[in-house]
Amino acid sequence: ALIMFKAIFRLALSFFALTIISCQKEISVELGSSILPTTVAILKMKIDGSQWIANKAAGASLIAGFININGISADGKSLSITLNDTIPGSYVLDQLSFNAAGLIDSFDLGGLAYASDEGKDTTEAGGIVIVNTINKVNKTISDTSHFKAFRALECKQKKLTKGYFKN
């Protein structure tokens, strides 16, 4: 089941990356409604110590028992976090969990993803996402996170710290 989930996650991440790369206009994602959100989503973190902000698009969704948080920046980076529940709490990202995060830099090795579930153990990849609030009435989620993402192809790691998502 874990291998199947990882395959599905990688497929979804690849689809997300292709969607981002092929779209020319900004996209907006919200929590399960066709009504435009009244708040602006904020997704930011430090990637290897440098501040990154999803300044092109950011959003979250609760779909089929999962939380998904996504962001895109004007500099060609995109982040996707998928968590295996729809309630506030701490979610471990590692090689054995059903939770995962992926970072894509479209200018780095053709846009191949760094993932929180790659590598041999948590020294290479993994971390935590803490979902602080989910407000289904106002359609908002907030979280904090820190994790390492790894790309096995070249044994390269990215450290994502001080992650923050709101609205």
Side-chain angles (χ1 to χ4, degrees), residues 5 8-17 20 27 29-32 41 43 58-72 79-87 91 98-102 129 131 134 139-143 165 167:
F5 174 78
I8 291 169
F9 174 75
R10 290 200 196 314
L11 181 63
L13 189 60
S14 297
F15 177 75
F16 177 69
I20 292 166
I27 59 171
V29 179
E30 62 180 276
L31 298 173
L43 175 59
S61 59
L62 302 174
I63 298 174
F66 291 91
I67 296 171
N68 189 258
I69 300 168
N70 294 296
I72 309 164
L79 176 72
S80 181
I81 301 171
T82 302
L83 308 172
N84 71 340
D85 208 338
T86 58
I87 61 173
Y91 294 86
F98 286 106
N99 308 306
V129 175
V131 176
I134 296 176
K139 299 185 182 333
T140 60
I141 292 177
S142 69
D143 85 359
F165 181 79
N167 296 334

Side-chain angles (χ1 to χ4, degrees), residues 14-143:
S14 297
F15 177 75
F16 177 69
L18 289 173
T19 302
I20 292 166
I21 292 167
S22 65
C23 291
Q24 294 299 316
K25 66 178 191 171
E26 293 184 20
I27 59 171
S28 174
V29 179
E30 62 180 276
L31 298 173
S33 171
S34 61
I35 299 171
L36 293 175
T38 57
T39 58
V40 175
I42 300 167
L43 175 59
K44 62 183 181 176
M45 62 182 33
K46 290 193 177 226
I47 301 174
D48 289 336
S50 297
Q51 187 65 54
W52 176 80
I53 299 172
N55 55 9
K56 196 168 181 184
S61 59
L62 302 174
I63 298 174
F66 291 91
I67 296 171
N68 189 258
I69 300 168
N70 294 296
I72 309 164
S73 62
D75 67 355
K77 291 182 179 70
S78 60
L79 176 72
S80 181
I81 301 171
T82 302
L83 308 172
N84 71 340
D85 208 338
T86 58
I87 61 173
S90 295
Y91 294 86
V92 173
L93 305 175
D94 64 17
Q95 294 78 8
L96 300 176
S97 74
F98 286 106
N99 308 306
L103 173 68
I104 295 173
D105 182 341
S106 60
F107 299 106
D108 182 10
L109 201 61
L112 293 176
Y114 293 85
S116 65
D117 60 353
E118 282 199 28
K120 63 181 179 282
D121 56 36
T122 56
T123 63
E124 293 181 341
I128 192 162
V129 175
I130 301 168
V131 176
N132 300 307
T133 61
I134 296 176
N135 185 323
K136 292 182 181 181
V137 173
N138 293 325
K139 299 185 182 333
T140 60
I141 292 177
S142 69
D143 85 359

